[in-house]
Amino acid sequence: MTYSYTSTGFILTKNREIKDLTVQSRLRNKKNNIFEKQFNNKQLKEFVLQTRWIPAQISGVNIDSCYGVTIHYD
């Protein structure tokens, strides 16, 4: 069974900046693909940009790292 989802990937820099943000949706019912841009450009993108992410650390030093968030739909 396939599921519908919207997924994002991005780099969180050591200075808490978001870089290379990508968002994509996969919708189980192909008729709903007309709504794909709405999913991509709004909810998840806003969530990523408005969240106060904490950079990953190695030995107490902030580093750039890759993150991802996926939301599944019924």
Side-chain angles (χ1 to χ4, degrees), residues 3-59:
Y3 293 94
S4 298
Y5 65 90
T6 300
S7 184
T8 183
F10 57 95
I11 295 173
L12 177 63
T13 70
K14 59 186 174 185
N15 299 320
R16 292 186 169 186
E17 296 173 5
I18 303 291
K19 291 190 173 187
D20 299 332
L21 176 63
T22 60
V23 182
Q24 75 176 60
S25 293
R26 297 280 185 233
L27 304 172
R28 180 173 27 178
N29 183 344
K30 299 295 181 191
K31 292 180 184 178
N32 289 332
N33 282 343
I34 61 172
F35 302 111
E36 184 175 356
K37 285 187 180 182
Q38 232 179 347
F39 285 102
N40 289 351
N41 294 326
K42 293 189 178 180
Q43 291 89 4
L44 193 52
K45 190 173 183 178
E46 286 179 23
F47 170 77
V48 169
L49 294 174
Q50 292 179 7
T51 298
R52 296 185 58 148
W53 299 97
I54 298 171
Q57 295 185 341
I58 293 179
S59 299

